[in-house]
Amino acid sequence: MWIAELSRQSDVPVATIKYYLREGLLPAGEAVGATRARYDETHVRRLRLIRALVEAGGLSLARVRNVLAEVDEESLEMHDVLGAAHGALIPTDLPATDESRRRVDDLIAERGWEVHSGSPDRALLANALDALEKVGYHLDDDLLKTYASAATQVADAEVAALPADDRQRTVEATVLVTALGGPVLLALRRLAQQSASARRYGMPRRPACDVGEDGVRSTG
């Protein structure tokens, strides 16, 4: 396909595609003449991956470049690729108290999870626990273990669902699920909370407020 068709299929402007080509984020197409090149499905997939990381994942192009370098490194094991994706999506040097770090370490050990001692997700979880403490809410161990049980079920299903016949597709799917799966889980959790609240407190006759297309809240 020509670059115009690549743009239509990926929903990425031609100018942006050319920029990615210049920056080395997108592999060059098959040269046809001095100024034209053909592209294929691998370019469509790469553009969709870049777009997901930039728009949904909120990564800078520099961090996207780092992720793509890991994706393209054939010598890396799949487990290492997952770690690279996690590392790119998490802020570095997150502060956390010793107590919260201890709780995280104890939870991982109790669950029998195989997690590298330097995993940035350890600090991310500890930092989140500290944030709750700062606003006066202690997430007790029972609820934390419930979260962990649910996370185990989700993670096992996600990894099992990854394509197994094509390494490149598996790598891309791993990165996409890591970058974009969070909002899906958040929305499902909120929906489930609404249902649980309705069962416990009774379903209200009408919503307390609505948000219109203009963003104005009303109780009408």
Side-chain angles (χ1 to χ4, degrees):
M1 72 184 79
W2 304 118
I3 195 169
E5 178 61 21
L6 177 61
S7 175
R8 284 192 293 271
Q9 290 200 26
S10 63
D11 200 24
V12 175
V14 170
T16 303
I17 293 175
K18 291 181 177 180
Y19 175 73
Y20 290 161
L21 287 167
R22 290 195 302 270
E23 293 296 310
L25 296 173
L26 184 68
E30 178 188 0
V32 181
T35 60
R36 304 191 75 187
R38 285 198 180 98
Y39 304 91
D40 56 28
E41 182 61 27
T42 61
H43 293 90
V44 176
R45 294 192 342 237
R46 174 54 60 94
L47 283 170
R48 288 172 176 168
L49 178 58
I50 295 172
R51 185 180 178 191
L53 292 172
V54 171
E55 296 182 8
L59 300 188
S60 67
L61 288 183
R63 297 185 78 184
V64 170
R65 189 190 305 279
N66 292 336
V67 174
L68 296 180
E70 302 289 350
V71 167
D72 293 335
E73 180 52 66
E74 294 288 339
S75 64
L76 279 183
E77 298 292 337
M78 283 302 306
H79 184 66
D80 294 326
V81 173
L82 177 63
H86 285 186
L89 292 166
I90 297 173
T92 57
D93 300 324
L94 283 171
T97 63
D98 291 340
E99 172 60 20
S100 288
R101 289 181 183 275
R102 181 197 60 76
R103 291 186 68 194
V104 171
D105 291 343
D106 289 348
L107 177 69
I108 291 172
E110 182 179 319
R111 299 293 307 181
W113 286 347
E114 299 179 38
V115 180
H116 192 278
S117 60
S119 170
D121 288 291
R122 289 177 180 263
L124 180 65
L125 177 54
N127 177 269
L129 294 176
D130 284 339
L132 288 170
E133 292 285 353
K134 287 178 181 177
V135 296
Y137 182 84
H138 176 73
L139 186 68
D140 65 43
D141 288 341
D142 287 341
L143 185 52
L144 184 59
K145 291 175 183 178
T146 298
Y147 284 162
S149 295
T152 297
Q153 184 177 0
V154 170
D156 287 346
E158 286 177 336
V159 173
L162 291 173
D165 58 340
D166 184 322
R167 183 187 186 280
Q168 191 66 20
R169 287 183 180 275
T170 303
V171 168
E172 291 170 357
T174 298
V175 174
L176 288 172
V177 167
T178 301
L180 306 182
V184 175
L185 289 174
L186 177 60
L188 286 170
R189 175 172 172 254
R190 288 176 174 173
L191 290 169
Q193 283 179 339
Q194 293 171 37
S195 178
S197 176
R199 290 195 304 273
R200 179 170 184 177
Y201 303 114
M203 191 73 172
R205 285 177 294 179
R206 64 181 181 184
C209 60
D210 295 307
V211 179
E213 293 182 359
D214 58 359
V216 176
R217 300 173 71 87
S218 64
T219 57

